Amino acid sequence: MFDKQNTYIVYDGDCPFCSRYVGLLRLRDAIGKVELVDARSSHPAVGYVEAAGVQLDNEMALMFGGNIYSGADCINRLALMTTPSGLINRLNALVFSSPQISRAAYPVLRFGRNVTLRMLGRLPIRSA
């Protein structure tokens, strides 16, 4: 059941970096139930974030507390919410807990994602 007040991460399930990133975050330990949603699916959260203006071919989204965070704001918010346990979570918090670093790094991350998807022969989300 889709509830706008629940916590969802909408990401590209065909992207190996995105899938690994959301899989490694320990958000459930920090905030409780989090639903991971493949942006290529027909899940209602996909349509909801797209209707709010999120371009899922260019950014992932976090729905939390009735708000939508996308792109650099999403990874910044995720870094602030994760537990400090585990090397990946500590590195994530160290790098992306700064909004400025998140904004500077996100275009580089998106470029790497796009190049990787092309090399793997995977279509953009809206073409799938």
Side-chain angles (χ1 to χ4, degrees), residues 72-73 75-77 80 95-105:
D73 292 333
I75 61 171
N76 172 249
R77 182 63 58 166
L80 295 172
V95 175
F96 297 118
S97 61
S98 162
Q100 295 83 4
I101 293 174
S102 296
R103 278 193 297 275

Side-chain angles (χ1 to χ4, degrees), residues 74-89:
C74 175
I75 61 171
N76 172 249
R77 182 63 58 166
L78 291 172
L80 295 172
M81 294 167 59
T82 58
T83 67
S85 60
L87 178 62
I88 296 298
N89 284 317

